[in-house]
Amino acid sequence: MSNIKSAKKRAIQSEKKRRKNAGQKSMVRSFIKKVNIEILNKNEESAKAAFKAMQSIVDKYSQKGLIHKNVASRYKSRLSKKIKLISKLN
């Protein structure tokens, strides 16, 4: 721990931001997992609904800089491809 007051404050602020970011990243991963579960269960309608919810969350946090925009795009692309594959099989 540092001796300078501003450095102490920055350390506290950084820890708060780290915890908040960790929680938000966890939430993004949870939404992605929900879509994957619906895809594995081959529920096309519920997979589309879960994808729509996941897409808005991923876009929101990529805009804020929590995840990179290319990573967000990759998540959406891969999951939409899997959902289209389900609809072709049914």
Side-chain angles (χ1 to χ4, degrees), residues 36-68:
N36 277 321
I37 288 170
E38 295 302 328
I39 290 169
L40 288 175
N41 292 335
K42 296 183 176 152
N43 298 332
E44 184 183 353
E45 294 302 317
S46 56
K48 285 182 180 179
F51 179 77
K52 190 173 181 180
M54 182 276 306
Q55 188 174 8
S56 66
I57 294 292
V58 166
D59 285 338
K60 178 177 153 184
Y61 287 122
S62 70
Q63 230 175 9
K64 290 185 175 186
L66 186 71
I67 56 176
H68 196 273

Side-chain angles (χ1 to χ4, degrees), residues 5-81:
K5 188 176 180 180
S6 62
K8 289 179 185 178
K9 182 177 179 181
R10 289 302 296 165
I12 291 168
Q13 288 174 335
S14 294
E15 180 61 22
K16 281 183 186 177
K17 286 182 183 182
R18 186 191 67 78
R19 286 185 182 163
K20 182 181 175 190
N21 288 340
Q24 289 173 342
K25 281 186 179 184
S26 174
M27 185 178 68
V28 169
R29 286 192 298 267
S30 295
F31 273 89
I32 292 168
K33 284 178 190 173
K34 287 177 188 175
V35 176
N36 277 321
I37 288 170
E38 295 302 328
I39 290 169
L40 288 175
N41 292 335
K42 296 183 176 152
N43 298 332
E44 184 183 353
E45 294 302 317
S46 56
K48 285 182 180 179
F51 179 77
K52 190 173 181 180
M54 182 276 306
Q55 188 174 8
S56 66
I57 294 292
V58 166
D59 285 338
K60 178 177 153 184
Y61 287 122
S62 70
Q63 230 175 9
K64 290 185 175 186
L66 186 71
I67 56 176
H68 196 273
K69 65 176 186 165
N70 293 353
V71 174
S73 180
R74 187 175 67 233
Y75 286 150
K76 293 186 294 184
S77 173
R78 288 179 180 174
L79 290 174
S80 67
K81 193 186 301 182

